[in-house]
Amino acid sequence: MALDDAMRARLLGHLRAHPRKTITNTQLKSAAVALTLLPDLRGEACFLLTRRVGSLNHHGGQFALPGGRLDAGEGPLEAARRELEEELGVAREAQHVLGMLDDFTTRSGFVITPVVLWAADVHLLKPAPCEVAIVYRVPVRNLYRPGAPVLEPSPDGEGPLLSFPLVGTHIHSPTAAILYQMREVAFEGRATRVDHYAQPRFAWK
């Protein structure tokens, strides 16, 4: 999958046509994540995935998309771009935003807004050692592997657990649900909702 102008135009069209679901709940903490599309050495479309430093107080050692809580006065577009630069040294401007996916509520009390960013000109990453243990460029085509995503029953009796086999492990929701919606909405133009997917206990405990 080449990261080219045709892909950018297709993603823009799909994201603009998507009737985005928003969540307004003042009791939830607001956060944003960056779904950053950039090339590998062959020009293939990839997205950025990180593994958090194990010593962090919250979700240490877990796999995640770059992102975090909104600062005072920030919206999700600004927060996603700021967090991407703080975590990985990738500076993006407003014109690099392709669109947003549905808000996603986590069991840990956050509402996450996923922001899709175009970074075709980005080649150098500078992970912040205090936050990021490893950063991966994951080919988008890996989201289309046979049998992906994986669906399993939730032990808590809620919706199904969704995961993706990526980077030698299984990436679980909420990250997996957000990646699935990126595949379905941004790349395929399908109005797919993901808020019914459950989150494993380790992701929020």
Side-chain angles (χ1 to χ4, degrees):
M1 303 176 70
L3 193 79
D4 54 19
D5 290 342
M7 175 181 283
R8 185 177 189 276
R10 185 170 78 254
L11 296 175
L12 274 171
H14 290 165
L15 287 165
R16 286 172 179 170
H18 178 62
R20 198 175 81 85
K21 180 177 180 179
T22 60
I23 297 171
T24 55
N25 184 335
T26 57
Q27 296 185 349
L28 296 172
K29 300 178 283 285
S30 297
V33 294
L35 289 157
T36 311
L37 299 172
L38 76 171
D40 62 11
L41 294 176
R42 299 173 296 176
E44 183 174 0
C46 300
F47 62 88
L48 292 175
L49 183 70
T50 70
R51 186 163 193 178
R52 295 164 61 84
V53 170
S55 58
L56 292 174
N57 292 330
H58 299 290
H59 308 297
Q62 291 187 10
F63 293 89
L65 297 162
R69 293 184 65 167
L70 273 60
D71 285 347
E74 271 188 331
L77 300 181
E78 295 80 15
R81 288 159 44 209
R82 173 183 54 77
E83 289 283 350
L84 179 63
E85 184 168 10
E86 289 177 359
E87 290 185 27
L88 298 177
V90 176
R92 295 289 83 185
E93 303 298 333
Q95 65 265 26
H96 296 119
V97 175
L98 299 182
M100 295 183 287
L101 299 173
D102 292 354
D103 288 348
F104 190 93
T105 302
T106 73
R107 292 287 299 272
S108 54
F110 284 87
V111 55
I112 301 174
T113 301
V115 179
V116 184
L117 293 164
W118 189 254
D121 58 332
V122 171
H123 300 283
L124 180 64
L125 304 175
K126 298 179 181 178
C130 59
E131 293 189 67
V132 179
I134 307 172
V135 58
Y136 302 90
R137 293 179 190 241
V138 185
V140 172
R141 60 178 167 80
N142 288 1
L143 300 178
Y144 290 85
R145 286 173 172 167
V150 176
L151 295 177
E152 300 174 281
S154 169
D156 295 329
E158 298 180 342
L161 290 169
L162 181 147
S163 65
F164 272 104
L166 298 170
V167 298
T169 186
H170 276 254
I171 305 300
H172 295 271
S173 295
T175 297
I178 291 169
L179 289 173
Y180 180 54
Q181 193 177 47
M182 179 179 71
R183 188 190 87 173
E184 293 294 290
V185 171
F187 283 89
E188 299 300 327
R190 293 192 279 257
T192 300
R193 304 295 184 186
V194 297
D195 54 344
H196 60 289
Y197 290 116
Q199 300 152 57
R201 186 172 292 270
F202 70 78
W204 52 275
K205 282 294 186 182

